[in-house]
């Protein structure tokens, strides 16, 4: 060992394995203090940042905020009241349509069918019946037509009438009193129906003035008489169902 040399060996440097060494606590020898932009707390140095800075933000803001500001905390500001949407009244149209079917269409169809059926008879009633001279007369009746035989009301208790013809002629009893346009009253005593074209002989006893109305088409009379009430009943049922559905929907809308 030579003079002037220390006998204590210098410490060995610890391996850093690629990590940066400890920063010097002061300025390096021969250097002055750092400038303001490079000062440890300035935040403008490439390798230094404020303690609150995130990994991608040197200014210390919130990385998720678009303007880099700190996240807001606390209750949200009061929101303006939203206008309520008007509630749609469901069931109003079914209720209206149901009432129309039930109150108007049904009765009109029923009464209209009956009036249509007896419309031709009403027209003949204004003109008066065709009188059978001598109590016996022959009438030509087409297929599916009908003749109604009358006698004066004062002779109805004693009068008897019959209809004769081919096998296509059928007699049916009828009843009812009718006042004709000339003021005379007659009572129905017989109805004669033919299923094919034929001549019908009508004979009456106990009266001197038998009469008849017709011939009338059976389809023209029976068709409206059946179709009108059927349509009226169906329309009434459909209207009743729609009324119930409309009421239920309106109640649910008000509750909701």
């Amino acid at each position: 060992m030579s003079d002037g040399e220390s006998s204590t060996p210098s410490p060995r440097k610890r391996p850093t394995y690629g990590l940066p060494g400890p920063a010097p606590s002061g300025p390096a020898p021969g250097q002055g203090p750092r400038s303001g932009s490079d000062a440890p707390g300035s935040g403008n140095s490439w390798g230094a940042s404020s303690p609150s800075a995130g990994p991608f933000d040197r200014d210390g803001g919130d990385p998720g905020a678009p303007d880099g500001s700190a996240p807001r905390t606390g209750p949200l500001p009061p929101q303006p009241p939203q206008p309520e949407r008007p509630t749609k009244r469901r069931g109003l149209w079914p209720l209206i349509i149901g009432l129309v079917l039930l109150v108007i269409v049904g009765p009109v169809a029923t009464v209209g069918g009956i009036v249509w059926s007896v419309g031709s008879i009403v027209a003949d009633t204004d003109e008066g019946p065709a009188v059978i001279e001598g109590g016996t007369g022959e009438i030509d009746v087409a297929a599916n037509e009908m003749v109604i035989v009358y006698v004066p009301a004062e002779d109805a208790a004693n009068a008897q009438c019959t209809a004769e013809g081919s096998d296509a002629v059928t007699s049916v009893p009828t009843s009812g009193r009718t006042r004709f346009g000339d003021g005379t009253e007659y009572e129905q005593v017989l109805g004669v129906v033919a299923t094919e074209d034929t001549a019908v002989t009508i004979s009456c006893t106990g009266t001197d003035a038998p009469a008849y109305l017709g011939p009338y088409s059976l389809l023209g009379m029976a068709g409206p008489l059946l179709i009108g009430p059927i349509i009226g009943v169906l329309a009434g049922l459909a209207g009743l169902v729609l009324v119930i559905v409309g009421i239920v929907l309106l109640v649910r809308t008000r509750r909701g």
Side-chain angles (χ1 to χ4, degrees):
M1 182 180 301
S2 59
D3 294 338
E5 294 182 358
S6 175
S7 62
T8 304
S10 60
R12 299 177 60 186
K13 293 183 179 181
R14 299 179 62 183
T16 58
Y17 301 103
L19 298 177
S25 58
Q31 293 183 358
R34 298 182 180 179
S35 62
S37 60
D38 295 335
S42 64
N44 294 327
S45 175
W46 177 262
S49 60
S50 62
S52 62
F56 300 103
D57 189 4
R58 296 200 305 269
D59 296 333
D62 182 11
D67 55 353
S69 60
R72 297 181 180 179
T73 59
L76 295 175
Q79 300 294 329
Q82 299 294 332
E84 296 183 358
R85 294 182 179 180
T87 304
K88 186 177 181 181
R89 303 184 64 182
R90 299 175 56 192
L92 185 60
W93 280 111
L95 180 60
I96 295 175
I97 295 174
L99 289 175
V100 171
L101 291 175
L102 184 62
V103 178
I104 299 177
V105 177
V108 168
T110 302
V111 176
I114 297 175
V115 172
W116 184 12
S117 175
V118 300
S120 56
I121 299 178
V122 173
D124 289 346
T125 300
D126 295 335
E127 298 178 0
V131 178
I132 302 176
E133 299 294 340
T136 301
E138 187 176 275
I139 306 171
D140 292 330
V141 182
N144 299 320
E145 286 188 346
M146 179 179 182
V147 174
I148 302 176
V149 180
Y150 293 83
V151 295
E154 59 272 15
D155 299 336
N158 300 321
Q160 292 183 352
C161 296
T162 59
E164 298 178 356
S166 63
D167 295 337
V169 176
T170 303
S171 299
V172 293
T174 60
S175 61
R177 179 169 295 192
T178 304
R179 180 183 293 273
F180 292 100
D182 57 0
T184 59
E185 290 188 356
Y186 279 75
E187 191 165 333
Q188 298 179 17
V189 293
L190 188 66
V192 182
V193 180
T195 57
E196 62 182 24
D197 297 347
T198 185
V200 179
T201 301
I202 298 175
S203 301
C204 294
T205 59
T207 180
D208 295 332
Y212 69 91
L213 291 180
Y216 301 111
S217 171
L218 288 178
L219 296 178
M221 294 181 62
L225 190 61
L226 295 176
I227 294 175
I230 290 175
I231 294 177
V233 171
L234 294 178
L237 291 176
L240 180 61
V241 172
L242 289 176
V243 167
I244 295 174
V245 172
I247 293 175
V248 172
L249 291 177
L250 284 176
V251 171
R252 290 182 178 179
T253 301
R254 291 178 180 179
R255 290 181 179 178

